Amino acid sequence: MASLNVGNLGEYLREQRRAAQLSLRQLADATGVSNPYLSQIERGLRKPSADVLQQVAKALRISAETLYVRAGILDEREREELETRAVILADPSINERQKNVLLQIYDSFRRENGFVPGPDADADGDAGPRKDTGSRKDTGPRKGDDAGADATEDQDPHS
């Protein structure tokens, strides 16, 4: 069954390459991946790594996530989540704090609807720093309460 999936990937890549009006050699030059290897991928004989797919997607100006789904590396739901996160993180009109808050809200709605964010959501969505920031905020006021009149210690995030 895996070869069938890779075959579909190969057919899709061939269509995309032809639509971009690139020869196999031109695509090989653009990606840094050998011409014979790309040919084997298109014919469904090889299953490329995520790195190779990312290089090909960049050269063809298509979504790497779409290629991951076609290669069986990522399922459709994960792709949609990653694309949503990528759009939020790439938006220049909102600051980092706003992006983190928006991603937290997005995650809470997904959990409410029965979807649990995958482990990649933390890495891509910077959930790690959000969690750290949350713990610093939680521990900061407690230190301030214990310190009493020491206001300067409350303002130093490294104390």
Side-chain angles (χ1 to χ4, degrees):
M1 274 193 150
S3 61
L4 239 181
N5 199 5
V6 175
N8 290 339
L9 170 68
E11 291 168 18
Y12 179 76
L13 284 177
R14 182 178 293 122
E15 289 170 13
Q16 294 302 310
R17 177 178 58 79
R18 288 180 177 162
Q21 298 179 340
L22 291 174
S23 70
L24 208 48
R25 281 204 180 128
Q26 289 170 321
L27 183 59
D29 289 341
T31 59
V33 177
S34 77
N35 184 2
Y37 188 68
L38 288 174
S39 175
Q40 290 174 344
I41 294 169
E42 283 192 0
R43 290 181 287 143
L45 302 176
R46 297 277 183 180
K47 182 175 181 176
S49 69
D51 289 337
V52 168
L53 289 174
Q54 187 172 26
Q55 291 169 283
V56 170
K58 188 175 181 181
L60 293 174
R61 297 175 188 238
I62 58 177
S63 163
E65 288 80 8
T66 299
L67 296 183
Y68 297 159
V69 170
R70 288 190 176 262
I73 295 172
L74 190 68
D75 82 6
E76 185 67 25
R77 229 181 268 158
E78 290 171 322
R79 179 187 68 83
E80 290 168 358
E81 179 184 354
L82 288 174
E83 286 178 350
T84 301
R85 290 178 174 286
V87 168
I88 292 169
L89 292 170
D91 189 338
S93 67
I94 57 177
N95 65 38
E96 292 304 310
R97 183 190 62 78
Q98 291 167 332
K99 290 175 186 180
N100 286 335
V101 169
L102 190 52
L103 288 170
Q104 286 175 339
I105 293 167
Y106 175 67
D107 287 342
S108 72
F109 283 150
R110 286 181 54 83
R111 278 191 297 275
E112 185 178 308
N113 293 328
F115 297 102
V116 179
D120 291 338
D122 290 345
D124 293 338
D126 292 326
R130 283 193 317 245
K131 288 177 186 169
D132 292 346
T133 301
S135 10
R136 275 195 293 265
K137 285 180 185 174
D138 290 343
T139 56
R142 277 189 230 122
K143 283 184 182 176
D145 291 344
D146 294 340
D150 249 346
T152 54
E153 283 185 17
D154 289 342
Q155 294 172 0
D156 185 3
H158 300 290
S159 62

